[in-house]
Amino acid sequence: MSRETLIEQATIPPTSNSMSSSPFDADSFNEAVMSTYARFPLALDRGAGCRVWDTQGREYLDFVAGIATCTLGHAHPAMVEAVTRQIQKLHHVSNLYYIPEQGELAQWIVEHSCADRVFFCNSGAEANEAAIKLARKYAHTVLDIDKPIILTANASFHGRTLATITATGQPKYQKYFDPLVPGFEYVPYNDVSAFEAAISELDEGDYRVAAILIEPLQGEGGVRPGDIAYFQKLRRLCDETGILLIFDEVQVGMGRTGKLWGYEYLGVEPDIFTSAKGLGGGIPIGAMMSKKFCDVFQPGEHASTFGGNPFVCGVALAVCQTLEKENILPNVEARGTQLRDGLNAIAAKYPHVISQVRGWGLINGMELQADIQLTAADIVQKALEQSLLLVPAGPKVVRFVPPLIVTEAEVNLALQTVEQAIASLTS
């Protein structure tokens, strides 16, 4: 079944048999589900391609993609086929046994990256946890550091577990969760002199810097791309000192930037890097990849019950192979350029509203002027009312992360809607 057929079928109103037995009740939902999200007033029911439909049958253009997760959009034929095939074959066994699908996916990643080894888990936070543990063991057993320190950047985001919110250089995510995990320090992003100074200052007594954990492009921190010269200097600094260079590619990996991995955009290779979100196209999977020299884990030192099971690996492999078969990366580059050009044209019309447009491929941010009352959430809400789904990246940045299969016409429609939203809010 083609993607076009799936979209045509999705536009047909659901029959009475396919609708839920009772209308969606937000009050009942809120009574039963913890309030860990400030949800928009929208209940989504189905999707196809870059479109989704709510429980009332209203159609939306999806430029959120599960927050940079639905690589191939919704109900892509390759994923539908892979899900169906794998669930009928074998969906879960223990990692106490060899899992052929896990091996195939790991081999694909190794063949298409600088990695030598892969560890599979369930999410980006877990992948970063694995990277932190691997870096600490390497520090103790290879670098002979008693109290290793991992440097991260201000405005970074590395996950919601206790260790990864500690690694996250944003105090708002850490509030009320102290005592935090020791062994992390923060420096400004894109400032290599700050890293050099921190390494010098922190190397005292039993304490030494063991690793740098950093995003090639900061997503939650406002869609801020890494400076190429800065990352190349970081690579040289790590080579000179023996410090591990770890890239958090949870948001930028798997083609989101127009290249398969974000590090390719920067012209450097990390020692360890992580992926999740787009790796499974929306099926929960995370991965921590490393060069062979720093793969110091031994049996029993790290594990994941669900990580790398046959189901998620079978589907993720289909996503990876589809990126190749459908030649999707050139579309990411073309649509990304189209989107940025269009947003810059809007910024030229509304310079008192928009201060900057930035990004790579199909991860882009539109930053609002700091001295106006208008917020990113205001624009996201107005776009929602006009059937376009967007997501903030901080109080003043609107983020654009559509599925990688987005079309030229869909980008034009999104740009038109954004301009209408800004005009409406500023008139």
Side-chain angles (χ1 to χ4, degrees), residues 10 87 109 119 132 245 267 293 312 332:
I87 201 68
I109 292 172
F119 170 81
I132 290 166
L245 183 58
F293 81 90
V312 297
V332 176

Side-chain angles (χ1 to χ4, degrees), residues 29-30 32-37 39:
F29 182 99
N30 292 329
V33 179
M34 285 188 177
S35 301
T36 55
Y37 288 86
R39 293 178 171 85

Side-chain angles (χ1 to χ4, degrees), residues 80 281 327:
V80 172
N327 200 29

